[in-house]
Amino acid sequence: MLLLSLCRFEWQLHSRQLSFFIVVSGLFITGLLFGFNQHNTAEILSTGHYSVTKTILMLALATPFVIAVYAGNAINRDNNCQIEELIFGTSITKFSFLFSRWFGLNALTMLSFLLGAVGIIIGLSLMPVTPENNQPFLETLHAAMLALVIFVLPAILLLSSLFFIIGLMTNKNIALYVFSSMLFFGYMTLASSTGNPILSDTFVDKNIHDIFLYFDIYGATPFFEQVKGWSIEQRNFQSFELINTLLINRVIILLFAVLLAVICYQSFQMQLVDEKKNKKVKKAQDTENQANLLVSTSLLTVRPQASFYSHLAIFFALFTSAFSALIKSKVFAVVTLFWLFVLSSELEVGLNNVESLGVTSYATTAAVLWRYQFDYLPYFTTLMLIFFAAEVFWRDNNCQISALVHSTAVSNLNLFIAKLTVLICIPLIFIAITIAVSAITQALYGENIEWTVYLSLFYYVGAPLVCLALLYLFLHSVSVSKTMGVFLSVVLTLIVKTPVGLYLGIEHDLLKFSATPLIQYSDVIGFSASSFAFDSYMKYWLAISAVLIHLGYVLFSRGEYIPISRKFRLMIARPGKYIAVGLSISTLLSAYFAIEISRQTNEVANFQPTADRLLWKADYETQFEKYKDLPRLTVTDIRTEMDFYPKQRQFKLTGHYQLVNLTEQMIDTLLISTDTSVNYRNISMPNAQLTLHDERLGQYIFELQQPIAPGQLSEINFSVEHKQNGFINNRLDNFIVSNFSLVIAKRYMPYIGFNEHLTLKSKTERAAHNLAPLAEVLSLEEKIAQRKGDFSDQVEKVNFETVVSTTASEISFSQGELQRQWQENGRNYYHYQTSDPIRNLVSYVSGKFEVLTKQVDGVDIGVYYAAKQSKNAEHMLSAMEDTINYGSLHFARYPSKQLKLLEVPRNLQSGFTGFALPQLLLIAENVGFHADISNNSAFDHVYRRTVHETSHQWWGHELNVAEVEGASALIETLAKYTEIVLLEEKYGQQYVEQLIEYEKRRYLSGKENNTSIELPLYRSDEAYVVYSKGAIAMYALKNALGAEVINNALRRLLNEHGGVKPAATTIDFINILKLVSPAKYHHLINSWFLEIPTEIDKVTTEL
Amino acid sequence: MLIVSNLTKTYDNGVKALKGIDLPIEKGMYGLLGPNGAGKSSLMRTIATLQAADSGKIIFNKEDAVSNPQAIRRHLGYLPQSFGVYPNISAINLLNHLAILKGVTNKADREKQVIYLLHQTNLFQHRKKAVSSFSGGMKQRFGIAQALLADPKLIIVDEPTTGLDPEERNRFHNLLSEISEETIVILSTHIVEDIQNLCPNLAILISGQIKKRGSPYSLLRLLEGKVWRALVNKNDMAFCYENLNVISHRLVSGKIELRVMSDNFPALNLPEVVFQPVAADLEDLYFSTIQQSQES
């Protein structure tokens, strides 16, 4: 009976707390948003078992925070409310005491997550119902409840026991909050190496993965392991089974929960905190009364001063008192140690796992900064700021000393500014620690330490964090209590720093406090890609922060809390002169900077919110699809003048297309599509009238005065300007900064005809915009039948000539042979022209580079790289040379007179590591120039990748590939083959075997995680098939048939489909391969290309 | 001089803590007497600028402290009824810190004053120990020390002798008396004896209103000849309460001493109860005021 009463009391006590309502509502709304924003992925139903379980697991990540909020009340309330003596003085037993608290904590947490799950279910049910989304409600409910019981409940039990121990040890709520952050952070850091799809990191550390199979608190790792090989059908309609590693995992977690509970019970003593904890603290013992010292009262006449110096001294005293309390606290020490651990782990993992097969990295500044600069450091510091801001702001109230402090003559300004200064120090401290660790790491690796770059972190990382600190200060100023202040801080942070804001429709960075364009450091271009945009945003946020600080100061409560409404009335009735002026100035500045950012983002950078972008695409299709089947002119020649203005981040491009009618019809109408992110100054066509110009959609329709007959020529002229400002994240194909510019111009030049790439592909989006579903994609065979095997119209090669100019301090180049270079009006000019047609992927480069060149069989090859990245250049040049030699000998003569390899900045928005344009290879700095080639135990991916990209000069540029299923296979699989033969030549067969083993693992992993049905290699465009399975297939075929046979087939393929000859399909290659190889191997060719072997190892050995 | 005029304060929960308080206070000790919940602490906190009054004025040395709280803070020493301290900070460092906040920024002056006050409050030998580890009495002495920093001209002490043993109480009283020669000292307490011993002027505050105000002598004169005393049995007490204006009772040698207020000899039909006139004391004044307040 007693136990029941105690439990009932616990329930009543907790459920009446404001924190309970806040947490429950928060979880419910989060669940609602999660559910509503689930999208069907290919054939995976958002309401299916797999998706629902995954969503519950996402929600479960919040468990540490939820428990921390409730645990403070459950565990520390007696000490906080100073009621311990009353409680411990009763006859309550230890078991009853602990059990009732444990019950309250767990019951509340479970109820909260139950309501979160209800939110998910409601959110899912609010989604538009489509035939693909129509899972019976009870099934969805069943999936959610099962996931809650199996995954969330054991985690709650374990974590509640853990928090009990922490709470009883420290008796401080802040320790619980900080511990919850550390737990969350630690879990996210480690779990991201397990291949967990929720955290979507591609890197998998097998050791961590194996540990997590058994010790993952939430059971996510064994769950995803179980469903890895499941079909779409299974994922949608089959529930997971509590067997194998999942069962073991859940049992282990429950056992740990019990063990921790027992430890907690054994170690807990029902004694007063002071008695049991502070035994070592020297208690001040009162001594015998001494003689009364009757000292003259004249010593008391020390008058206070009111000078500027004294105000400064007071500020300094307030600051040092609060700052040293913060720094010297055990919690801060633990947090710092934890950060050191996380940082060190990140650096160790990052520098020693830059790529598969043991590739390590030079510890360059960029390689080090990438491990934490834009994610770990800001997120971790933000979390800590939320908690420490509360501690700093409410310190006097917490210590109940505010009556003494606030009754002194210390000014409100001093009190406020001191707190502000302490808060600002917090991110600066974490950044300083990070810099120290980074510098030490670099020194240990023997690298130069770029102190100016590190110091700039105080700005690039620190400034947004300082703004957040000021925001939290403001929120606490207007809050009635510490809990309210923390709550507001958490909610606002969730909105501005997580996808919750997106779910609420907040997309523009202007509306997300302290948001800036992604700023990342590159060894090639430093911070320059986004620095201007970053500066603009920081001016804006600092102005907003100034507004908040003014308001926060005015609303700052000294002594008794005064309701905000009354404060505002007082403020309006009696505005302080300086406050009014400061507030006005900062408000005006905020407005000014906001307008400027808006202009830069919306007008100059042409930002479009997602909804607008989708509508744009829908409108394009609606209005211009009718022109889809119009016969088109083909571009044969492109002549341009490209002028770079790197300092202004601008280019001007004037161009001329020569067009020809390769169809058999008369052409009297021409639709031209242009990119609306650039400014088209002019587009004209002789003997034609512009009958439509849709500025919003960038479409031009020309009606020809005289129709163009088959074989007849025509032309268009155009001029384009583009200014880049970094306000929208820089694209792979569009970097224009001082010392480095790369423009892959196809996007910006006119496109002839209706552009399918500009239409909506998603079923849901098409339905939402009243567009008919897309026609079923024809299979390869159907397409071949439809076209009778003729893909000659898909050969897109042009004669290219350009004059490219740049500033006197930079060099420029493009495709083609250099005809002439000169200087004029302080600018450098270069005239390039191709001797043979190239694929229409013209590109331009400008910058300051170190260059390493060589001539190979009449071909000028060169590596262009940043000055401090020289270590790998020679190795890459050697790889290019080997490939050209091999390719020219075995495939076809290298098709041009030059080949350049360019180091490009790593771009967070693009996952590419290498990209091949005609005569120009782009290799990302991290994998190309940071990979440590002196590490002999690591695989030589630098060589491999350079060979791969070089080989694309044949496979993809020289070879014309039809735009059908399997196009990627033809391009990438043949490039993988080239890698294999060159690696074998250089390092031997055994060396290649390890690559093949790796590709096997990659293929199987891709197969298990892929959500759509696998197509056979000859029809596939999936990366894990065309790269990995393709490599395995070609290696097996090479071993069976011999390289000579395959090379023979490739020569013939190029002969029939290279140059300006008709485009090829994989069927063409397979047919040629069968033609040149003995019949006894044809079944192998079929197995690899036309079938999907269930066991790839068996295929390898079969003959 | 401190002039409080028509001060009112109502809390958000509707409790009217102060209902038009008028108090002129000059240099010296001024006692504020009242039961728990009378509004003494509310009045103290309001004068100490820790909470805003809804209406009324507080004028200190001709400066309006309501519109300019700093005018009073510069001269204020405040010892609240209960207070906390920063953890793990020694007495000397915390006192030093508070001295700086009070504007004693000259290091030499500050050190002198801090040492002096530590001696005065018998905390010098504990100066390096954490205040958070002090016993209740020691902490109270610390509170007194900090209230005396920076030569305050207005000292407000709210229930200052809580937790002090008799000797400490005496020492504190002596200290306050010395200081009050040139300073306004408002002593808020429900211990009548403290007021009686120290304060040449006092006010009795009940339910947010000043019921009586003046010197003890002038206030007690109002009760002259009206206070009667008798020893009664427990059984007769209820009868006495019903029929007489009993202002207090207490145990004396196992019997109950009743004190009654009456303009005339208290007539009672109990021959064993014999009333005698007694000289009214401050306790009688206090209890009679409370009783009158309850009746009204």
Side-chain angles (χ1 to χ4, degrees), chain A residues 40-87:
Chain A
N40 287 347
T41 315
E43 294 93 345
I44 300 282
L45 299 182
S46 53
T47 50
H49 280 258
Y50 170 80
S51 295
V52 170
T53 305
K54 190 173 152 195
T55 311
I56 294 283
L57 284 169
M58 269 170 63
L59 193 69
L61 293 173
T63 310
F65 297 116
V66 172
I67 292 183
V69 170
Y70 294 145
N73 211 17
I75 305 161
N76 293 338
R77 71 167 189 264
D78 302 312
N79 182 260
N80 293 344
C81 301
Q82 296 170 358
I83 200 177
E84 272 178 325
E85 287 162 330
L86 301 189
I87 302 293

Side-chain angles (χ1 to χ4, degrees), chain A residues 281-307 309-311 313-315 317-318 321 395-396 399-412 415 558-563 566 574, chain B residues 9 11-12 48-52 54 70 73-76 78 80 83-87 89 94 97-98 100-106 109-110 112-113 116-117 119-120 122 125-126 129 133-135 138 141-142 146 148 150-152 167-168 171 174 178-179:
Chain A
V281 169
K282 248 173 135 179
K283 280 207 158 203
Q285 295 296 323
D286 212 348
T287 58
E288 293 295 321
N289 292 335
Q290 294 184 359
N292 210 353
L293 295 167
L294 288 172
V295 183
S296 165
T297 56
S298 64
L299 276 172
L300 275 180
T301 54
V302 175
R303 296 295 305 138
Q305 289 127 40
S307 62
Y309 166 75
S310 64
H311 281 294
I314 291 169
F315 160 77
L318 287 167
S321 169
R395 179 176 174 238
D396 291 344
C399 296
Q400 296 171 1
I401 202 176
S402 49
L404 300 189
V405 172
H406 293 173
S407 61
T408 64
V410 61
S411 64
N412 282 4
L415 285 171
R558 181 189 182 133
E560 175 203 43
Y561 172 75
I562 299 174
R566 205 190 318 169
R574 250 194 347 250
Chain B
K9 172 74 182 173
Y11 289 116
D12 286 340
T49 71
L50 291 174
Q51 62 189 34
D54 295 336
Q70 290 293 91
R73 286 177 191 147
R74 276 195 285 271
H75 306 285
L76 179 66
Y78 177 52
F83 62 93
V85 291
Y86 295 137
I89 296 189
L94 186 53
H97 176 67
L98 290 167
I100 295 174
L101 298 191
K102 291 193 177 195
V104 187
T105 49
N106 181 287
D109 286 347
R110 191 168 67 242
K112 239 185 337 188
Q113 185 164 73
Y116 168 77
L117 286 169
H119 277 296
Q120 281 294 87
N122 200 23
Q125 61 270 44
H126 307 298
K129 292 172 187 153
S133 69
F134 280 6
S135 66
M138 289 166 72
R141 297 202 314 259
F142 176 85
Q146 65 81 33
L148 299 177
D151 190 24
E167 187 162 355
E168 288 166 340
R171 189 183 297 121
N174 293 338
E178 266 181 54
I179 291 160

Side-chain angles (χ1 to χ4, degrees), chain A residues 190-216:
Chain A
L190 292 171
S192 64
S193 307
T194 62
N196 185 326
I198 295 173
L199 304 170
S200 62
D201 199 308
T202 52
F203 170 71
V204 177
D205 184 308
K206 194 171 182 320
N207 293 330
I208 297 176
H209 176 266
D210 290 345
I211 293 170
F212 262 60
L213 272 179
Y214 298 101
F215 295 99
D216 185 329

